């Protein structure tokens, strides 16, 4: 019975996806209703995820699925982030759907399918299951990226993403096959046993296989040199999808990456040390080079999301080198980035719902005098992304850099701080545009109070609260609460 | 003795002044060297101008136009320029063609394979 | 009450700004509230002065756990050195508000409120992460003040000051994190409190790198020569209240940082950098002074002047004897007052003539005698006119320099004179000479303007004539630190 409770989030999302799919052809149901239906199912999932948090770890219907799916706090926390990300995506973009004609019911169904895939991914305890879940999520996202069928950029982005995604997906299968060849099993438990009981010299096949798994992971998070799709795809996708990819989908990849890294390859992590460091350095530098040379804000955020992947990679390689706080640091950074990315893309999408322009830096001129509250919130998100203190983004960087120093990677920590400095330039450029230039069009507009804006405002508050709130102020979980949550999740892995 | 010298010098000065300015005074022409030196206040102003003011002004302009602009600001501007150029070159890789993107991925995979070969000590 | 007094001093302006912002107060309410808050803080600071005991170290401390997982605490406190700067902030803020009284832009007032919280917080924090937080956030209002309300190339210049100072603070952040890690390695717990981190034994090599991180941040803030290219553009573009804070408070915080965190964390190891800083400071003294001679923009001229005098203060901090240290501290206070007055006068000049270029000014003395008096007084007190506080301070530093080393003493003494050159020449051109602004109708100082300038004049005179009133407040601590 308890097991059934655990499956409820899955079932709810899956059921929602099918219901939406079945009714999607009905013209009589408005987009708004679809939106509410999907939010309804996601909320149910979220509630049950919250209820099952802290229930210890077990396997899902072990008698049926064997050890394919694991249930632990780590997975549940990630599930919560996925569902929350999807709910926020839907809520924030409710204006955007109205303003664009190409959205239909299938959109919501696809979104729910991808959330389902991600949830499976975070629970996956076996490589093939992981691959299938990853593909469920990815295929839905491919379709979503190209959702604006008549727009060239959108279709082009989908093609690029799909071709390259399939190319790297093949490596995942290849790696799985190699690991199967070495271990004779693909469950993570057996792999961990094998790794613990053999010497590195005897594990050549497994190491090569694991390296190939890493290629897929690096591709999905946009690490250099597997990054080239990021800017184009983020640019081509409709705003809600870009937001969903940047915040939610990227986190999903880290769910599997962290699990593999901490559970399975913990003892041989240091093998990839130089490789990871090289990729991290390339990612940090390449990402900031990309971000600094963009004139469209959406593309800048895409470039900067590569840099954030770089910070997360710093955390990953610190885990391998024996830093205790590195794993919670990565989790915390994911939460921090999730909050700030959802907020900033949310504002972009909100503006886009009001006009059809591509948003370049110049379009933000005078934004503060037109929409002072929006500008203030955007500023908060930019500060958080730049890692300015008093926001959650600073604490995220704080933990990442201390973990890097703790594991002896002084150079990486220094480089991280340097790229954080560079990022100040392109984030503050937007703030400067909003505040320092006179508005070219129109006067002051009122602050519309609806679902999107309330959610964005809440995100802004959480971003600040996560940076300064703490045990000083009673029982509200602030910065401490998030890292405690992250620690709890990581402990459940081991 | 000293007092006498003082008094006589004073008297001499008074007489000279009277002769020059008082009695049927006419404009003094600086025709002799001594007169010229005295009229120009022993050239103290010019000397001062030449030794102190001019070099300071020259140094100040030099700092303003060369050192501040070209060295200190130049260092900053050139590092920004370097970064811009680097970014400009890097972004050219981002040419929008998926075959190139696939090539980068394969390059990355190849580098990774080389790393594996090296680190695992595989002999070919 | 005494526990929370510093917290109230720090956060009162922020709180008021937030309440006003949420209530969407009108400009009149904002003005009244801002002035009231600054006066309240002045009263609180007076209460602090009365309760202050010069013979104790840190006082009014408050230490609360903040972010437990990272060992970050909310740790604030006050000693003689921070008291001096705190008094300066408390005195200058009401005067700045009086100066701003006619300005009706809301953002201007909000930024000043936030700025006060930022600088006070950076001044009083004893936890390095807390310090870093305030150190960074006090930059934001300045960034906005220059970029939004400034003049000239305001957007470019605000970006420049932001990036250069952030570069410094990032290097400081690295050092802070590394020190936190060393402490963690030694004790097994994370902590960033100054008292904890100062107890760790650093190897000489490590401390050289860590000190460099801190010193870079402070050198940019002061700014020492070579790190100064943000200074003149920023001062030139910034509106007067921001310039006053930058010159009178924020630059001083750079020196304060060297003292509090440089000496506090590294102790005598800091002397590894003493020759470098002393040479940079001596060069800076002369370099800025010479640069100021031909500067046509009054704001920029006094930006360089400020740089020159701050180099002198930095020099004094690195000469370890009681005269130099006492002189530096004294100069921090008197220079802040004098430069605040000077920049106010420049602001008033701009208000009257719509220009601060020396070449377009002239003959003010004929029409506005009071204006001329105050202008000349502040300019001369910056140059170190005997009878004003600056003279005492400069004298002390020169004595200290001679104590340290004859050559340094000679250099210091001669370069001191350099301020005379540009100030007298400037005065001659601005106040006397031909009346160039024949068309513009200008009036002498109004009562409000005299009201905000007179306290500064009196303070300069009192500090100049009776230094013995003030020196006992910080002497015990300096003597203690020297042992």
């Amino acid at each position: 019975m308890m097991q059934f409770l655990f499956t409820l989030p899955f079932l709810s999302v899956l059921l929602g996806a099918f219901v939406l799919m079945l009714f999607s052809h009905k013209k009589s149901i408005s987009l708004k209703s679809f939106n509410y239906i999907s939010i309804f199912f996601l909320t149910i999932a979220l509630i049950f995820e919250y209820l099952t948090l802290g229930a210890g770890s077990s396997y899902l219907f072990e008698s049926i699925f064997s050890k394919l799916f694991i249930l632990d706090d780590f997975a549940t926390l990630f599930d919560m982030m996925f569902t929350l990300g999807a709910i926020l995506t839907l809520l924030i973009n409710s204006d955007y759907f109205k303003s664009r004609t190409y959205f239909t019911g299938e959109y919501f169904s696809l979104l729910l399918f991808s959330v389902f895939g991600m949830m499976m991914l975070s629970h996956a305890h076996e490589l093939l299951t992981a691959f299938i879940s990853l593909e469920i999520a990815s295929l839905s996202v491919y379709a979503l990226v190209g959702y604006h069928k008549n727009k060239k950029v959108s279709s082009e982005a989908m093609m690029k993403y799909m071709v390259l995604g399939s190319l790297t997906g093949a490596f995942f299968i290849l790696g799985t096959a190699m690991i199967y060849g070495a271990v004779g099993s693909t469950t993570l438990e057996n792999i961990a046993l094998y790794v613990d009981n053999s010497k590195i010299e005897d594990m050549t096949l497994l190491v090569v296989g694991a390296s190939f798994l890493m290629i897929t992971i690096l591709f999905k998070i946009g690490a250099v040199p597997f990054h080239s799709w990021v800017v184009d795809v983020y640019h081509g996708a409709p705003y809600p999808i870009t937001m969903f990819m940047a915040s939610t989908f990227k986190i999903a990849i880290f769910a599997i990456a962290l699990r593999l890294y901490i559970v399975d390859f913990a003892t041989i992590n240091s093998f990839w040390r130089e490789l990871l460091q090289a990729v991290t350095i390339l990612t940090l530098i390449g990402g900031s080079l990309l971000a600094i040379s963009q004139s469209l804000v959406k593309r800048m955020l895409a470039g900067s999301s590569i840099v954030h992947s770089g910070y997360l990679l710093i955390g990953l390689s610190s885990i391998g080198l024996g830093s205790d706080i590195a794993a919670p640091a990565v989790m915390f950074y994911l939460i921090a980035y999730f909050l700030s990315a959802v907020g900033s893309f949310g504002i972009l999408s909100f503006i886009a719902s009001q006009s059809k322009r591509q948003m370049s830096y110049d379009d933000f001129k005078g934004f503060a005098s037109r929409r002072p509250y929006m500008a203030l919130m955007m500023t908060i998100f930019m500060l958080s992304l730049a890692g300015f203190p008093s926001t959650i983004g600073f604490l995220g960087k704080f933990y990442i850099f201390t973990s890097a120093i703790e594991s002896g990677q002084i150079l990486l920590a220094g480089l991280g701080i340097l790229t954080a400095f560079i990022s100040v330039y392109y984030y503050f450029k937007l703030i400067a545009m909003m505040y320092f230039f006179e508005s070219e069009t129109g006067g002051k507009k009122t602050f519309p109070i609806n679902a999107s804006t309330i959610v964005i405002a809440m995100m802004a508050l959480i971003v600040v609260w996560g940076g300064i709130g703490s045990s000083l102020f009673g029982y509200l979980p602030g910065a401490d609460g998030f890292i405690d949550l992250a620690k709890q999740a990581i402990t459940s892995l081991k | 003795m000293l007092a006498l010298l003082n008094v006589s010098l004073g008297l001499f000065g008074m007489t000279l002044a009277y002769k020059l300015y008082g009695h049927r005074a006419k404009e003094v022409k600086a025709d002799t060297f001594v007169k010229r030196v005295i009229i120009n206040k022993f050239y103290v102003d010019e000397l001062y101008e030449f030794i102190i003011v001019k070099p300071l002004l020259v140094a100040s302009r030099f700092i303003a136009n060369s050192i501040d602009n070209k060295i200190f600001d130049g260092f900053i501007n050139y590092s920004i320029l370097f970064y811009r150029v680097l970014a400009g070159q890097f972004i050219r890789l981002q040419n929008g063609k998926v075959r190139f993107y696939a090539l980068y991925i394969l390059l990355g995979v190849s580098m990774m394979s080389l790393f594996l070969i090296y680190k695992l000590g595989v002999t070919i | 009450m005494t526990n929370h007094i510093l917290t109230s001093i720090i956060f009162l302006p922020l709180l008021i700004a937030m309440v006003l912002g949420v209530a969407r107060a009108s400009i009149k309410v904002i003005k009244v509230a801002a002035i009231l808050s600054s006066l309240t803080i002045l009263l609180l600071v007076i209460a602090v002065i009365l309760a202050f005991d010069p013979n104790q170290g840190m006082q009014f401390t408050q230490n609360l756990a903040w972010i437990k997982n990272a060992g970050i605490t909310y740790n604030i406190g006050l000693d003689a050195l921070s008291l001096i700067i705190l008094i300066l902030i408390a005195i200058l803020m009401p005067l700045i508000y009086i100066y701003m009284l006619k300005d009706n832009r809301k953002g201007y007032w909000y930024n000043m409120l936030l700025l006060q919280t930022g600088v006070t917080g950076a001044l009083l924090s004893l936890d390095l992460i807390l310090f870093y937080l305030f150190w960074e956030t006090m930059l934001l209002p300045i960034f906005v003040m220059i970029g939004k309300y400034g003049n000239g190339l305001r957007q470019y210049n605000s970006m420049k000051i932001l990036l250069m100072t952030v570069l410094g603070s990032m290097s400081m952040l690295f050092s802070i994190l590394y020190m936190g890690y060393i402490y963690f390695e030694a004790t097994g717990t994370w902590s960033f409190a100054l008292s904890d981190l100062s107890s760790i034994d650093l190897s000489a090599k490590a401390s050289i790198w860590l000190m460099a991180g801190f010193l870079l941040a402070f050198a940019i803030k002061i700014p020492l020569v070579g790190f100064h290219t943000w200074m003149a553009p920023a001062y030139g573009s910034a509106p007067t209240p921001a310039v006053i804070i930058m010159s009178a408070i924020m630059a001083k915080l750079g020196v304060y940082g060297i003292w509090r965190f440089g000496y506090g964390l590294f102790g005598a190891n800091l002397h590894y950098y003493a020759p470098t800083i002393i040479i940079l400071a001596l060069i800076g003294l002369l370099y800025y002074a010479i640069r100021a001679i031909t500067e046509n923009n009054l704001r920029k001229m006094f930006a360089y002047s400020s740089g020159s005098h701050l180099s002198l203060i930095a020099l004094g901090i690195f000469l370890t004897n009681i005269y130099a240290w006492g002189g530096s501290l004294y100069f921090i206070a008197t220079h802040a007052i004098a430069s605040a007055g000077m920049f106010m006068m420049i602001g008033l000049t701009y208000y009257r003539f719509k220009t601060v270029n020396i070449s377009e000014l002239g003959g003010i003395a004929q029409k506005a005698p009071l204006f001329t008096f105050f202008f000349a007084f502040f300019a001369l007190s910056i140059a170190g006119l005997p009878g004003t506080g600056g003279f005492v301070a400069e004298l002390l530093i020169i004595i200290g320099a001679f104590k340290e080393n004859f050559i340094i003493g000679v250099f210091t003494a001669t370069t001191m004179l350099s301020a005379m050159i540009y100030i007298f020449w400037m005065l001659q051109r601005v106040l006397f000479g031909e009346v160039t602004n024949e068309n513009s109708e200008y009036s002498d100082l109004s009562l409000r303007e005299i009201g905000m300038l007179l306290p500064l004049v009196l303070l300069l005179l009192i500090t100049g004539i009776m230094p013995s009133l003030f020196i006992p407040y910080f002497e015990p601590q300096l003597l203690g630190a020297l042992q």
Side-chain angles (χ1 to χ4, degrees):
Chain A
M1 192 55 215
M2 194 62 192
Q3 291 280 315
F4 187 68
L5 191 68
F6 282 117
T7 50
L8 268 177
F10 289 93
L11 287 180
S12 165
V13 174
L14 196 61
L15 188 70
F18 278 117
V19 166
L20 286 164
M21 196 165 72
L22 288 176
F23 288 103
S24 60
H25 70 284
K26 285 222 172 194
K27 292 277 184 287
S28 55
I29 304 175
S30 69
L31 274 183
K32 209 173 176 180
S33 328
F34 279 125
N35 202 357
Y36 287 137
I37 295 169
S38 30
I39 289 174
F40 170 74
F41 281 109
L42 285 167
T43 315
I44 290 181
L46 185 65
I47 290 168
F48 280 106
E49 279 153 10
Y50 182 73
L51 290 177
T52 50
L53 196 65
S57 74
S58 58
Y59 293 99
L60 182 72
F61 293 123
E62 205 173 342
S63 51
I64 308 170
F65 290 130
S66 179
K67 288 177 176 174
L68 296 191
F69 297 104
I70 193 168
L71 303 161
D72 53 13
D73 283 351
F74 178 79
T76 314
L77 186 66
F78 270 104
D79 284 355
M80 283 174 71
M81 283 204 264
F82 304 149
T83 32
L84 198 64
I87 292 174
L88 291 174
T89 309
L90 291 169
L91 276 179
I92 290 178
N93 293 302
S94 46
D95 280 335
Y96 192 83
F97 301 138
K98 279 181 228 153
S99 71
R100 300 295 191 271
T101 49
Y102 53 85
F103 283 105
T104 52
E106 287 95 344
Y107 164 81
F108 301 97
S109 171
L110 281 170
L111 196 79
L112 259 62
F113 272 122
S114 82
V115 171
F116 174 68
M118 291 177 204
M119 286 167 71
M120 271 176 73
L121 184 63
S122 72
H123 286 277
H125 200 243
E126 196 258 351
L127 287 175
L128 277 176
T129 319
F131 179 73
I132 293 168
S133 340
L134 188 62
E135 285 305 297
I136 293 177
S138 302
L139 282 172
S140 322
V141 171
Y142 297 153
L144 287 171
V145 167
Y147 208 80
H148 195 176
K149 291 186 279 286
N150 302 325
K151 195 176 167 195
K152 267 189 185 168
V153 193
S154 191
S155 317
E156 187 190 321
M158 182 194 76
M159 270 308 286
K160 275 179 192 166
Y161 195 18
M162 197 164 74
V163 169
L164 297 175
S166 316
L167 175 69
T168 48
F171 282 106
F172 198 95
I173 287 291
L174 182 61
T176 310
M178 285 177 167
I179 290 174
Y180 183 74
V183 183
S185 162
T186 50
T187 61
L188 300 190
E189 200 185 12
N190 292 340
I191 299 171
L193 269 175
Y194 176 81
V195 170
D196 288 345
N197 294 326
S198 1
K199 289 186 201 126
I200 185 98
E201 297 87 37
D202 307 332
M203 290 196 292
T204 312
L205 194 57
L206 179 122
V207 165
V208 175
S211 309
F212 282 137
L213 298 186
M214 247 166 69
I215 291 177
T216 313
I217 290 167
L218 290 177
F219 170 81
K220 293 281 182 194
I221 64 169
V224 179
F226 311 108
H227 68 286
S228 34
W229 60 277
V230 174
V231 177
D232 290 358
V233 171
Y234 277 33
H235 178 210
Y239 278 99
I241 313 304
T242 315
M243 180 177 153
F244 187 63
M245 278 165 67
S247 54
T248 316
F249 194 36
K250 196 166 173 175
I251 293 176
I253 309 301
F254 272 94
I256 187 71
L258 279 175
R259 195 183 281 281
L260 283 174
Y261 224 79
I262 297 173
V263 176
D264 285 311
F265 307 127
T267 45
I268 53 168
N269 274 340
S270 51
F271 175 82
W272 287 287
R273 175 188 178 151
E274 291 88 355
L275 186 71
L276 261 183
Q277 282 175 349
V279 172
T280 311
I281 291 169
L282 282 176
T283 308
L284 286 173
I285 296 175
S288 25
L289 286 176
L290 270 180
I292 208 167
S293 46
Q294 304 297 339
S295 58
L296 292 180
V297 175
K298 201 180 181 188
R299 285 177 79 94
M300 180 277 280
L301 284 176
S304 83
S305 90
I306 298 177
V307 184
H308 289 286
S309 298
Y311 294 130
L312 289 163
L313 282 174
I314 295 183
L316 266 192
S317 57
S318 307
I319 297 175
L321 296 172
S323 162
D324 287 335
I325 56 161
V330 172
M331 286 289 283
F332 186 84
Y333 199 91
L334 283 172
I335 298 174
Y337 179 68
F338 170 76
L339 292 170
S340 336
V342 165
S344 49
F345 277 112
I347 291 182
L348 282 189
S349 133
F350 175 80
I351 303 167
S353 70
Q354 315 280 321
S355 74
K356 299 236 167 184
R357 294 182 68 175
Q358 297 265 26
M359 266 167 298
S360 65
Y361 275 110
D362 286 339
D363 290 329
F364 272 91
K365 280 185 178 170
F367 188 63
S369 54
R370 266 175 289 154
R371 294 187 177 281
Y373 293 98
M374 279 285 171
L376 182 67
M377 289 187 255
M378 193 66 170
T379 308
I380 290 174
F381 295 128
M382 288 297 123
L383 291 179
S384 172
L385 286 172
F388 226 70
S390 78
T391 59
I392 196 169
F394 168 70
L395 282 181
K397 287 205 171 65
F398 170 86
Y399 289 124
I400 290 283
F401 294 151
T402 36
S403 76
I405 291 174
E406 194 187 358
S407 61
Q409 307 181 88
I410 310 292
L411 190 73
L412 275 191
L415 188 71
I417 286 183
L418 191 69
T419 45
F421 163 66
I422 295 167
S423 74
V424 168
Y425 171 73
Y426 48 77
Y427 291 129
F428 272 73
K429 198 168 147 193
L430 189 64
I431 300 179
M433 285 294 166
M434 292 193 296
Y435 281 93
F436 300 168
F437 290 88
E438 297 310 315
S439 176
E440 284 160 6
T441 51
K444 196 169 171 178
K445 288 178 184 148
T446 49
F447 183 72
I449 294 190
N450 56 29
S452 325
T453 51
I454 290 173
V455 170
I456 295 174
M458 273 170 56
M459 304 298 282
L461 285 179
I462 295 173
V463 162
V464 174
W465 187 248
I468 55 169
S470 74
S471 36
L472 273 186
F473 305 92
Y475 297 101
L476 279 169
D480 262 344
F482 285 122
I483 191 85
D484 280 338
L485 211 58
K487 276 187 178 162
Q488 184 192 345
I490 295 294
T491 341
S492 80
L493 269 184
K494 289 170 185 165
Chain B
M1 187 66 206
L2 204 66
L4 194 71
L5 185 71
N6 277 350
V7 171
S8 55
L9 265 178
L11 284 175
F12 172 72
M14 280 181 217
T15 336
L16 195 70
Y18 181 72
K19 258 197 101 93
L20 280 174
Y21 301 108
H23 179 66
R24 271 178 291 157
K26 58 179 192 285
E27 200 178 325
V28 182
K29 273 191 209 143
D31 45 0
T32 65
F33 174 74
V34 178
K35 275 187 184 170
R36 224 179 298 142
V37 169
I38 293 173
I39 281 178
N40 285 310
K41 290 157 270 173
F42 300 98
Y43 287 104
V44 166
D45 277 2
E46 277 76 5
L47 205 67
Y48 180 75
E49 175 98 15
F50 187 74
I51 294 178
I52 297 175
V53 177
K54 273 275 169 59
L56 278 178
L57 287 179
V58 168
S60 178
R61 295 214 177 87
F62 178 68
I63 287 174
N65 298 329
S66 300
I67 300 185
D68 258 11
N69 278 350
K70 296 201 175 111
I71 298 182
F72 292 131
D73 248 2
F75 176 73
I76 296 165
N77 291 338
Y78 278 116
S79 34
I80 294 171
L81 187 71
F82 166 75
Y83 201 81
R84 286 253 165 82
V85 170
L86 204 66
Q89 294 301 316
F90 188 75
I91 201 136
R92 282 169 66 177
L93 294 176
Q94 203 76 27
N95 57 6
K97 295 196 172 64
V98 78
R99 51 182 178 276
F100 281 87
Y101 294 1
L103 184 70
Y104 306 148
I105 291 176
L106 287 181
L107 272 178
V109 175
S110 322
M111 296 313 288
M112 184 183 253
S113 310
L114 280 179
F115 167 80
L116 288 175
I117 289 171
Y118 170 75
K119 185 112 184 195
L120 290 168
V122 179
T123 44
I124 307 164
Chain C
M1 180 56 199
T2 49
N3 273 335
H4 295 299
I5 191 162
L6 292 186
T7 306
S8 338
I9 290 175
I10 295 175
F11 288 107
L12 184 67
L14 176 71
L15 190 73
I16 286 183
M18 278 164 61
V19 170
L20 291 174
V22 171
R24 305 177 72 173
S26 68
I27 180 73
K28 268 188 187 163
V29 179
I30 294 177
K31 282 179 185 174
V32 173
I35 291 171
L36 279 181
S37 94
S38 70
L39 290 176
T40 317
I41 287 174
L42 186 60
L43 288 178
L44 287 173
V45 170
I46 289 172
V48 168
I49 299 171
L50 292 178
F52 184 79
D53 178 2
N55 295 313
Q56 281 180 25
M58 277 300 160
Q59 291 161 60
F60 304 97
T61 48
Q62 191 171 21
N63 193 356
L64 299 169
W66 180 21
I67 298 171
K68 282 179 191 150
N69 278 300
I72 302 172
T73 53
Y74 176 76
N75 190 352
I76 53 173
L78 175 100
D79 66 359
L81 184 58
S82 25
L83 181 66
I84 293 178
I85 304 181
L86 186 65
I87 295 172
L88 286 176
I89 297 174
I91 293 174
L92 288 181
M93 282 319 281
L95 300 178
I96 292 175
Y97 285 137
I98 297 176
Y99 175 88
M100 287 163 53
L101 211 52
K102 285 189 178 167
D103 208 300
N104 284 329
R105 287 169 294 188
K106 282 186 188 175
Y108 220 83
W109 289 82
Y110 281 128
N111 272 314
M112 289 312 285
L113 285 166
L114 299 183
L115 193 54
Q116 187 174 4
T117 291
V119 289
T120 321
L123 176 70
L124 296 177
S125 40
L126 296 177
D127 183 281
L128 273 84
I129 297 289
L130 187 70
F131 171 71
Y132 177 77
L133 187 148
F134 282 119
W135 182 263
E136 287 273 80
T137 41
M138 76 181 177
L139 195 60
L140 281 179
I142 288 289
F143 174 69
V144 177
M145 288 289 267
I146 296 176
K148 191 165 169 62
Y149 304 112
N151 50 50
L153 280 170
R154 56 194 164 95
Q155 294 97 347
Y156 176 82
N157 290 336
S158 70
M159 209 65 185
K160 194 170 181 180
I161 181 178
L162 177 88
L163 287 178
M164 286 190 72
T165 32
V166 166
L167 180 65
S169 36
M170 288 282 177
S171 76
M172 182 169 74
L173 176 66
F174 184 83
S175 290
I176 292 176
L177 294 182
Y178 198 84
M179 295 203 72
Y181 166 64
I182 295 177
Y183 183 80
F184 172 73
E185 208 177 35
T187 62
T189 49
W190 287 97
S191 171
F192 291 92
L194 183 62
S195 49
D196 283 342
L197 294 188
S198 58
S199 65
I200 47 182
D201 286 324
L202 288 165
S203 69
K205 201 181 154 205
S207 66
I208 285 171
W209 282 102
L210 294 174
M211 279 187 285
F214 279 97
L215 285 180
L216 182 64
F218 301 140
I220 291 177
K221 205 74 163 192
I222 290 176
L224 289 178
V225 74
F227 307 100
H228 68 279
T229 45
W230 62 268
M231 178 180 67
Y235 279 48
S237 280
T240 304
V243 177
I244 295 172
I245 294 288
M246 276 198 284
S247 160
I249 308 294
M250 282 168 78
K252 308 293 188 290
L253 282 178
V255 184
Y256 166 81
I258 293 183
W259 168 276
R260 168 74 66 238
F261 298 103
Y263 279 107
L265 290 172
F266 304 105
N269 279 343
L270 197 66
H271 284 288
Y272 178 83
Y273 283 104
T276 324
I277 304 263
I278 287 174
I279 289 170
L280 274 181
L282 283 175
I283 295 175
L285 248 175
L286 202 59
Y287 182 92
Y288 294 132
I290 292 177
R291 175 67 183 83
I293 295 174
T294 48
E295 183 54 60
N296 193 30
N297 184 315
L298 274 177
R299 278 209 194 97
K300 287 187 185 172
M301 171 183 273
F302 281 93
Y304 287 116
S305 154
S306 172
S308 174
H309 286 112
L310 277 153
S311 298
L312 187 63
I313 296 174
L315 173 76
I317 289 282
F318 275 87
L319 302 171
T320 36
N321 58 60
I322 184 73
Y323 296 102
W325 277 8
S328 291
L329 287 192
Y330 210 61
F331 208 14
I332 284 180
T334 55
H335 179 260
I337 300 168
S339 70
M342 193 62 225
F343 281 114
M344 276 184 186
M345 289 313 297
I346 295 173
L348 295 179
T349 312
Y350 183 79
Y351 185 70
R352 285 179 169 65
F353 303 105
K354 295 286 168 274
T355 178
V356 287
N357 290 335
I358 297 174
S359 55
E360 295 165 35
L361 295 166
I364 297 175
Q366 298 172 22
K367 291 199 173 179
L370 271 174
F371 187 94
T372 308
F373 167 74
F374 281 103
F375 196 98
F377 180 83
F378 287 121
L380 291 176
S381 63
I382 280 187
L385 181 76
T388 60
F391 177 73
V392 179
E394 294 188 0
L395 208 61
L396 279 171
I397 296 180
I398 292 179
I399 296 172
F402 272 110
K403 280 236 167 202
E404 178 86 9
N405 184 321
F406 183 73
I407 300 171
I408 296 176
V410 172
F411 258 103
T412 317
T414 46
T415 46
M416 301 273 312
L417 294 173
S418 53
M420 300 286 180
I421 304 169
Y422 60 86
I423 284 189
F424 277 110
W425 200 37
M426 182 276 296
L427 284 180
Q428 182 200 344
R429 285 178 296 164
V430 171
L431 299 179
F432 307 105
E434 295 289 305
V435 181
T436 45
N437 289 63
E438 205 62 69
N439 300 331
S440 65
E441 280 296 312
Y442 56 91
S443 52
D444 212 341
L445 293 179
S446 69
L447 215 57
R448 174 178 68 92
E449 289 160 348
I450 294 176
M452 77 196 180
L453 294 171
L454 208 57
L456 297 176
V457 173
L458 291 178
L459 275 173
L460 281 173
L461 288 175
I462 295 172
T463 49
I465 297 166
M466 290 180 286
S468 51
L469 272 182
F470 305 95
I471 288 181
Y473 269 93
F474 55 79
E475 203 177 6
Q477 194 195 338
L478 294 186
L479 285 172
L482 275 172
Q483 261 134 44

